[in-house]
Amino acid sequence: MIEIKNIHKTYTMGKVEVKALDGVSLKIDDGEFVAIMGASGSGKSTLMHILGLLDRPDAGQYLLRGQDVTALSDEALAVVRNGLIGFVFQQFHLLPRMSALENAELPLVYAGKRHLREKARAELAGVGLQDRVLHRPSELSGGQQQRVAIARSLVNDPVMLLADEPTGNLDSRSKAEIIAILKQLNARGKTVVIVTHEPEVAQQTRRIITMRDGKVIADAKNVPAGGSAVSAVTPESGSTVKDLLAERHRVAGKIKFLDYVRQALSAMISHKMRSILSILGILIGVAAVIAMLALGTGAKVSIEQQLQSLGSNLLWLHPAHGRSGAVALESTATRFTQVDIDLLARLPHVKRVYGSVTARAQVVYGSNNTNTQVEGTGTEYPAMRAATPVAGRFFTEQEMRAREKVALLGTTVLTNLFGEANPVGETIKINLINFKVIGVLPSKGSGGFRDQDDTVIVPLTTAMYRVFGKQYIDSIYVEAVSAGDIDAAQEEVRRALNKQHRLKADDTESVDIRNMSEIKSTLESTMKTLTMLLGSIAAISLLVGGIGIMNIMLVSVTERTREIGLRKAIGANNKDIMMQFLIEAVLMSFIGGIVGIVLGAGASVVMKLAAGWAVQVSLFSIVLATVFSLIVGVVFGLWPASQAAKLNPIEALRYE
Ligand code: ADP
Ligand code: MG
């Protein structure tokens, strides 16, 4: 059954070499009941770990059912541990957050035989725990815990049971129970090897091997009290290593994804607080990204809409700023007057023209007042700026010439001054001068940097001479005959103005001429910067969330190193461990991501409704946030898990 030849294992502690095993050779047959004795530090546990394939020897040969197992891969070793060997530890090593039943059935999961769950229940009944299956380890006595561990070791029908001081942590009554169980198992034909330093335990077995300083110093048959030296039962046959590996190859696909998910879920649920904190980090990050990008995109879209309504065949002219030393001066040579407007209106590629002056002013109606932008424009304004009044009318050429005190209100000013009431025909004061309201402008929408509806329009002449006392026009808007004529119109305008103002023909500096597509692209690039700014703030918060997950994952994996060791000891391979942590990490970041998306989208809707901001949740931001959160979860969860999974089971189990 087992044959080891000249096994060596040396631990190096700094400069000191400890020969834990120094050339041990042994043969144990099927159905034997063996005790290994010896002083503390004599190498008993080391030997057991090697027999149980939890550790590899430095040198020597190990034949298990005729097959040399020292050369097997880690993966194959996991299969053999899972199927042929049952291990019982002094410290029980039950998973604390799982019930007795879940603990006992764990090896079945890794064997791909979870449909045999009832087997776990039967094994628990076999050790007398049928009415404790749903108890957690903390709700069980030491003896009961060890019995769960024995049930766990038996659940896959191993041919050999290895127990390292199984009674070391128990009171004498529990001790007797455990010994009785082991004895009974051997009587049924199982090979049982048990390490003990207690003679009364060893006396129950049929063979006692004594070790000292890593060597076997005695190996003798023993006749237990009231028994015989030879078992009467034919030993269990069980499968060979080759059979087992072949069979596992067949069922490999059956270790189902759902089992991993179940394991991950139960791990998450058993550490609720930690899981919630991990999820929270990702959640906030994702929500921030979604909301910020929604804000950016929304602003961009609303600016684009406004620009659309401006039309792309508009030119915008204003006197350039000359320079005198370090001081910027408005060029006196190119101040605009009505003469310029009339001149430009006659050009062949020009369809319409109006002049504009703007300034802020205090506007009062009754007891309401507001500080707003007052703009003086020409009569072409409604046609050129898509601003036909929605109530009342625009002012006429006649009123313009007569410098009449008439005004049109933007919707924001309207609400501020009149609320719901009809303003047409009412009298308001602009900078203490009485104006008659003759119309209401259509809403241009807010968004971008300025509320376009927070404005009052009056005739240009009235604004210049009666309200602001300006002699010159601030800027002139020119509409080309068509969008295709915009360049020709610009050229014409430039030439005409240069001539009119006695500038050099090739002067392109004195008058600043911009067309709307230029303004559009400037605005668009500004918006892009803004979106990027918002996006990077959000990305930073996502990163911070990611670092949060990383911390928690690192702590979690480190804390669970012993769990990883136990899982490996009962048959999980690296892939199983990785899958478990991967699914756990992905599940958490996925939940965080989904809740974050909902929350971010919700926040966007709230911003839209409450603050009236233009927001638009984009698919891009959702994909970005989801992908990023998944990457964060996987990278920061997998890396520490792979570190832990690389440890051999014993190192991981010993981890403090
Ligand atoms: P026993 O179980 O018989 O008490 P062990 O097999 O645990 O003894 O240990 C045998 C020797 O190997 C002891 O001297 C112990 O200090 C040493 N040893 C065991 N494990 C390690 C380890 N991981 N690192 C260093 N030394 C170890
Ligand atoms: Mg020991």
Side-chain angles (χ1 to χ4, degrees), residues 101-113:
L101 184 63
E102 287 169 319
N103 267 292
E105 71 186 27
L106 213 47
L108 287 174
V109 171
Y110 295 118
K113 294 182 185 162

Side-chain angles (χ1 to χ4, degrees), residues 550-612:
M550 175 175 77
N551 281 337
I552 290 164
M553 277 292 189
L554 271 171
V555 170
S556 153
V557 170
T558 312
E559 188 199 287
R560 284 158 68 185
T561 301
R562 285 210 274 173
E563 174 189 329
I564 292 173
L566 185 270
R567 284 177 187 275
K568 293 192 79 173
I570 61 173
N573 58 35
N574 281 4
K575 206 184 101 214
D576 293 321
I577 300 290
M578 296 306 287
M579 278 304 271
Q580 184 193 334
F581 279 91
L582 178 71
I583 288 175
E584 202 176 319
V586 167
L587 219 59
M588 278 199 286
S589 14
F590 189 68
I591 293 174
I594 294 290
V595 180
I597 287 170
V598 172
L599 222 71
S604 309
V605 171
V606 168
M607 282 194 283
K608 195 171 200 161
L609 295 181

Side-chain angles (χ1 to χ4, degrees), residues 279-571:
I279 290 172
L280 203 64
I282 278 293
L283 187 154
I284 292 172
V286 169
V289 166
I290 300 277
M292 294 281 191
L293 290 184
L295 195 62
T297 317
K300 206 171 124 203
V301 167
S302 85
I303 282 205
E304 270 164 9
Q305 273 167 1
Q306 287 169 26
L307 286 174
Q308 214 90 53
S309 74
L310 283 181
S312 52
N313 45 354
L314 274 190
L315 292 176
W316 180 45
L317 286 55
H318 60 92
H321 293 286
R323 228 159 235 295
S324 161
V327 187
L329 295 173
E330 201 161 282
S331 159
T332 45
T334 52
R335 282 175 169 175
F336 297 144
T337 61
Q338 186 61 40
V339 178
D340 295 301
I341 294 178
D342 296 339
L343 170 75
L344 295 179
R346 286 194 300 271
L347 295 174
H349 285 102
V350 170
K351 191 172 171 192
R352 288 186 276 244
V353 182
Y354 79 84
S356 159
V357 294
T358 59
R360 295 200 73 83
Q362 200 69 21
V363 181
V364 182
Y365 173 72
S367 60
N368 297 338
N369 74 86
T370 180
N371 186 283
T372 185
Q373 173 187 270
V374 173
E375 182 175 9
T377 70
T379 50
E380 304 282 21
Y381 177 86
M384 288 173 66
R385 303 297 294 268
T388 313
V390 290
R393 59 176 181 85
F394 209 77
F395 52 80
T396 61
E397 201 59 48
Q398 170 61 37
E399 285 167 321
M400 170 92 158
R401 240 175 285 132
R403 301 177 190 178
E404 292 281 1
K405 290 173 283 181
V406 291
L408 290 100
L409 307 183
T411 48
T412 303
V413 176
L414 171 65
T415 321
N416 288 345
L417 293 184
F418 290 90
E420 300 287 303
N422 180 10
V424 177
E426 300 294 324
T427 301
I428 57 171
K429 281 188 199 300
I430 300 176
N431 284 358
L432 303 178
I433 303 162
N434 281 340
F435 274 76
K436 192 172 143 208
V437 178
I438 56 166
V440 177
L441 295 164
S443 175
K444 296 254 178 178
S446 58
F449 309 102
R450 196 174 75 77
D451 180 1
Q452 299 220 71
D453 297 324
D454 190 10
T455 188
V456 173
I457 301 278
V458 299
L460 176 66
T461 47
T462 318
M464 287 170 71
Y465 305 118
R466 296 205 179 211
V467 187
F468 302 133
K470 288 188 177 184
Q471 269 179 288
Y472 298 100
I473 294 165
D474 291 341
S475 51
I476 298 177
Y477 289 83
V478 175
E479 185 183 346
V481 172
S482 74
D485 292 326
I486 190 90
D487 291 333
Q490 186 160 348
E491 202 39 48
E492 262 175 22
V493 166
R494 169 86 61 206
R495 238 182 293 122
L497 285 178
N498 283 357
K499 195 166 165 218
Q500 173 73 16
H501 292 271
R502 298 168 206 286
L503 299 166
K504 285 194 192 121
D506 58 354
D507 185 342
T508 56
E509 312 241 304
S510 301
V511 178
D512 194 1
I513 305 181
R514 296 198 191 163
N515 65 50
M516 278 305 168
S517 55
E518 264 172 51
I519 294 176
K520 210 176 202 165
S521 65
T522 314
L523 264 179
E524 268 165 8
S525 80
T526 313
M527 278 320 300
K528 213 174 252 166
T529 316
L530 184 70
T531 307
M532 260 165 62
L533 197 74
L534 290 175
S536 50
I537 292 172
I540 288 172
S541 68
L542 201 51
L543 195 70
V544 172
I547 291 171
I549 277 221
M550 175 175 77
N551 281 337
I552 290 164
M553 277 292 189
L554 271 171
V555 170
S556 153
V557 170
T558 312
E559 188 199 287
R560 284 158 68 185
T561 301
R562 285 210 274 173
E563 174 189 329
I564 292 173
L566 185 270
R567 284 177 187 275
K568 293 192 79 173
I570 61 173

Side-chain angles (χ1 to χ4, degrees), residues 266-280:
S266 78
M268 275 170 64
I269 291 167
S270 62
H271 295 91
K272 283 189 200 70
M273 197 59 198
R274 194 160 65 196
S275 308
I276 289 172
L277 285 176
S278 302
I279 290 172
L280 203 64

Side-chain angles (χ1 to χ4, degrees), residues 40-41 43-46 49 90 164-165 195:
S40 179
K44 308 182 296 292
S45 294
T46 308
H49 296 152
Q90 182 177 353
D164 188 357
E165 312 235 20
V195 162

